Amino acid sequence: MATSKAAIPPFEVTPLDVISAVSSNARAAFRSHKTKDLQWRLNQLRKLYWALEDYKPAYLAALKQDLNKPGFESVFTEIDWVKNDCMFMIDNLETFAKTEKLKSPHVPTTYSMLNFRIKKEPLGAVLIIGPYNFPVQLLLAPLVGAIGAGCTAVIKPSELTPASAMVMKEMMESRLDRDAFAVVNGGIPETTALMEEKWDKVMFTGSPQVGSIIARKAAETLTPVCLELGGKNPAFVTKKANLALAARRLMWGKCLNAGQVCMNHNYVLVDKDVVDTFIEFLKIAYKDNFPNGAKASSDLARIVNVRHFNRIKKMLDETKGKIVMGGEVDESELYIEPTAVLVDSIDDPMMQEEIFGPIFSIYPVDTLDQALNIAHEVHKTPLSLMAFGDKSETSRILHEMTSGGASINDSYFHGAVNTVPFGGVGDSGWGAYRGKASFDNFTHLRTVCETPTWMDRFLRVRYMPYDWSEYRFLQRLTEKKPNFDREGTVVKGAGYWMWFFFGLGTQGGGAKGALKRWLVVLAGYYLSVYVKRRTA
């Protein structure tokens, strides 16, 4: 039976002196090669699926305790999200893991007999460090990719969500292979101890500040990292946008999980001609979401702890802008009302800090040019951006503004589908996961070729003493001739087709020489087909 609400134990830190053994067990389990077996991986994914279903009551209680997260959000964005991840990986794993045979254009016909292929191999033992805002999804979704790829893993939940971390530990230890997968609980000392171990990859989701520490430490041992960080994400609203829809959808993005979502908007750049109208639509959207007020709603989560409550409240206290919606705070409940602040300077605290909460600023702009300039100045590589306007405007925003992901006429819905790649860019993250990208994130693409023993006579060109005539002959067979001149202009018309058909003869010998070389290429191809059939 899964842990009941009353049975969630107090948070227990993993002893520092056992962390080395935990990581050694993960490395030893990988070296046993059992994780390379597809059926073993599928079995672990199936077990994880049912573990999530059986532990659903415990997770609902834990998420309520940690974040006052409503049951709907806990199921929709956490538990069922990962269950869907499991099913997607189970359904597609054999396809993802299948060895790919390389043919033209990747491998020239001349080398077709060497059986070039790409094997999908697991990286090894990996470390996954999760955040507090989605303590189930953002820890277990990467784990699904690690299991699918054939890695072993140690996962480190956030100490800021202790109840969820304890349920996670019990579930993992009781349902999955304990040699291959483990949970380490704790804070900075335990994370530091984990980073002292040698991993084959580290995945971290959290703040850019901590991400830079993780990256520096991993670099000491040349350990690859996947970093999913945050950013000061912009939303653009032009005068041609559907203002009511923009307000409704941006309000959704700010209210989900009390705004503790790395993808939601930090600020909204609104055409000054429609600012007042946009604010009125925000108030309507607020009323639609919370008929009796946000504080009385059972659907609005709370801030994770007092420290983060005070961090967000400090921005409201120090802003020089005008609160145009919301503004209520209550430390006793860790409650902050969804709040919009009208500002007129990018130096305002509401513009300069990553909010990660249910408040945001509205900045009036004269033109789209000004809006793009401000967005670049605030943060040139945010994790996400949102654009509301006509097609020409949103296309321009996409073209001129870099971001990890983007949603047109919506609030971060590009990150709300679990089967498409998700990741940052620049200082908002390195790498991506979800869907097939989760498998790829923990996979090494290993190129393999197999040179026939009888083929050595055809490889004379590579052996010393070198022979330029043999090299020139090989060059004629393999070198692709350009269809453009030194100015970069493409040769078109009859000249191009002459180049295509007689290109093999341009090094000398004319059309007769070209014909001979085409025959050699064709002979090589048919010889490879014959050999494959004979050896099949």
Side-chain angles (χ1 to χ4, degrees):
M1 279 293 292
T3 304
S4 68
K5 180 177 180 180
I8 297 177
F11 186 64
E12 185 176 304
V13 174
T14 302
L16 290 172
D17 58 2
V18 307
I19 289 178
S20 182
V22 170
S23 61
S24 294
N25 286 344
R27 290 191 293 269
F30 181 73
R31 288 195 302 270
S32 73
H33 304 298
K34 65 180 177 181
T35 67
K36 293 184 177 181
D37 180 68
L38 281 185
Q39 291 307 312
W40 183 90
R41 303 183 208 178
L42 289 167
N43 184 256
Q44 295 300 305
L45 290 168
R46 293 168 188 144
K47 286 184 174 182
L48 179 57
Y49 175 94
W50 283 112
L52 285 161
E53 178 63 25
D54 295 341
Y55 274 78
K56 184 180 289 186
Y59 277 124
L60 289 173
L63 291 164
K64 185 71 174 177
Q65 181 176 318
D66 288 331
L67 291 154
N68 196 39
K69 189 170 286 195
F72 185 91
E73 287 186 13
S74 295
V75 172
F76 185 52
T77 68
E78 301 261 24
I79 301 162
D80 281 3
W81 179 290
V82 183
K83 286 172 61 183
N84 289 335
D85 265 1
C86 289
M87 291 305 299
F88 179 82
M89 191 63 68
I90 289 167
D91 289 343
N92 294 282
L93 182 57
E94 291 188 4
T95 300
F96 294 162
K98 187 177 181 181
T99 296
E100 293 182 18
K101 292 186 177 180
L102 294 178
K103 299 179 180 179
S104 179
H106 308 290
V107 177
T109 304
T110 311
Y111 302 128
S112 62
M113 291 174 282
L114 274 62
N115 192 19
F116 272 87
R117 56 198 185 271
I118 293 178
K119 291 192 66 179
K120 316 292 182 59
E121 298 196 345
L123 287 175
V126 303
L127 173 64
I128 302 171
I129 304 172
Y132 69 81
N133 57 328
F134 291 93
V136 180
Q137 181 209 133
L138 296 183
L139 199 61
L140 295 184
L143 180 66
V144 169
I147 295 172
C151 295
T152 60
V154 173
I155 62 177
K156 162 61 177 66
S158 172
E159 70 277 15
L160 302 185
T161 47
S164 300
M166 292 305 292
V167 174
M168 182 78 66
K169 185 174 178 65
E170 180 184 319
M171 184 192 77
M172 294 284 291
E173 291 180 349
S174 65
R175 296 301 185 91
L176 298 188
D177 188 319
R178 295 187 66 166
D179 292 328
F181 307 108
V183 175
V184 168
N185 276 329
I188 294 176
E190 290 70 33
T191 304
T192 302
L194 284 166
M195 289 302 299
E196 291 294 333
E197 300 295 323
K198 173 58 182 172
W199 303 98
D200 296 295
K201 188 158 193 177
V202 174
M203 178 161 183
F204 169 80
T205 303
S207 71
Q209 293 77 19
V210 179
S212 65
I213 296 171
I214 296 293
R216 285 197 299 269
K217 187 63 182 177
E220 293 178 7
T221 52
L222 296 179
T223 300
V225 295
C226 178
L227 303 176
E228 298 300 340
L229 310 176
K232 289 173 276 190
N233 307 315
F236 298 81
V237 178
T238 76
K239 66 174 67 176
K240 296 180 181 178
N242 182 326
L243 299 179
L245 190 69
R248 177 177 176 80
R249 292 180 175 178
L250 288 173
M251 181 65 75
W252 162 73
K254 263 299 170 182
C255 293
L256 181 72
N257 202 34
Q260 296 165 112
V261 181
C262 56
M263 296 179 291
N264 72 24
H265 57 283
N266 229 57
Y267 59 98
V268 188
L269 298 161
V270 186
D271 190 296
K272 68 176 184 179
D273 292 340
V274 296
V275 166
D276 292 340
T277 305
F278 176 70
I279 291 172
E280 290 306 309
F281 279 125
L282 278 177
K283 293 176 181 178
I284 293 171
Y286 176 100
K287 190 66 175 177
D288 288 343
N289 278 274
F290 308 111
N292 299 313
K295 192 173 185 180
S297 173
S298 60
D299 293 330
L300 184 68
R302 295 298 188 259
I303 306 305
V304 67
N305 58 24
V306 172
R307 177 169 66 87
H308 283 284
F309 173 90
N310 287 332
R311 176 185 60 78
I312 299 169
K313 181 177 180 296
K314 185 171 183 284
M315 286 184 251
L316 289 177
D317 291 340
E318 295 181 352
T319 181
K320 294 179 173 59
K322 176 185 177 183
I323 294 176
V324 294
M325 182 192 76
E328 183 184 5
V329 299
D330 185 345
E331 183 177 343
S332 67
E333 291 189 19
L334 298 179
Y335 164 76
I336 295 181
E337 186 178 17
T339 300
V341 181
L342 187 64
V343 301
D344 60 6
S345 170
I346 64 171
D347 295 324
D348 194 279
M350 294 286 295
M351 294 287 289
Q352 283 298 313
E353 299 178 39
E354 182 182 358
I355 291 171
F356 211 69
I359 69 175
F360 63 97
S361 56
I362 299 172
Y363 192 113
V365 294
D366 294 319
T367 63
L368 185 54
D369 284 333
Q370 183 190 8
L372 286 163
N373 288 335
I374 290 172
H376 277 102
E377 189 170 350
V378 172
H379 188 181
K380 68 177 182 178
T381 57
L383 181 62
S384 68
L385 69 80
M386 291 129 272
F388 297 83
D390 68 18
K391 189 170 183 179
S392 64
E393 293 169 328
T394 57
S395 295
R396 184 183 170 196
I397 292 167
L398 279 182
H399 181 69
E400 296 186 19
M401 185 81 195
T402 298
S403 66
S407 289
I408 305 301
N409 296 324
D410 209 345
S411 179
Y412 64 78
F413 203 71
H414 65 274
V417 177
N418 71 303
T419 53
V420 298
F422 168 75
V425 62
D427 57 4
S428 64
W430 302 347
Y433 73 111
R434 293 185 182 169
K436 184 177 182 294
S438 287
F439 176 88
D440 294 340
N441 188 32
F442 297 102
T443 297
H444 169 56
L445 302 181
R446 187 183 190 186
T447 299
V448 177
C449 79
E450 197 170 338
T451 309
T453 56
W454 53 264
M455 199 177 178
D456 219 45
R457 71 185 69 179
F458 299 105
L459 302 174
R460 169 66 189 85
V461 66
R462 71 185 188 183
Y463 295 120
M464 297 179 186
Y466 296 132
D467 187 325
W468 278 104
S469 64
E470 291 182 346
Y471 174 71
R472 283 191 289 270
F473 177 70
L474 177 67
Q475 193 177 31
R476 291 180 189 125
L477 293 179
T478 60
E479 184 180 24
K480 182 175 176 63
K481 299 300 178 183
N483 65 334
F484 48 86
D485 62 23
R486 283 177 171 78
E487 299 301 319
T489 303
V490 174
V491 179
K492 297 180 179 180
Y496 170 78
W497 291 110
M498 290 291 289
W499 161 83
F500 180 81
F501 285 112
F502 298 108
L504 285 178
T506 57
Q507 292 288 339
K512 187 175 181 181
L515 178 60
K516 289 180 179 179
R517 279 175 275 280
W518 275 112
L519 290 174
V520 170
V521 171
L522 293 173
Y525 171 75
Y526 285 112
L527 178 60
S528 68
V529 172
Y530 173 76
V531 170
K532 287 180 181 178
R533 289 177 177 174
R534 292 278 294 181
T535 57

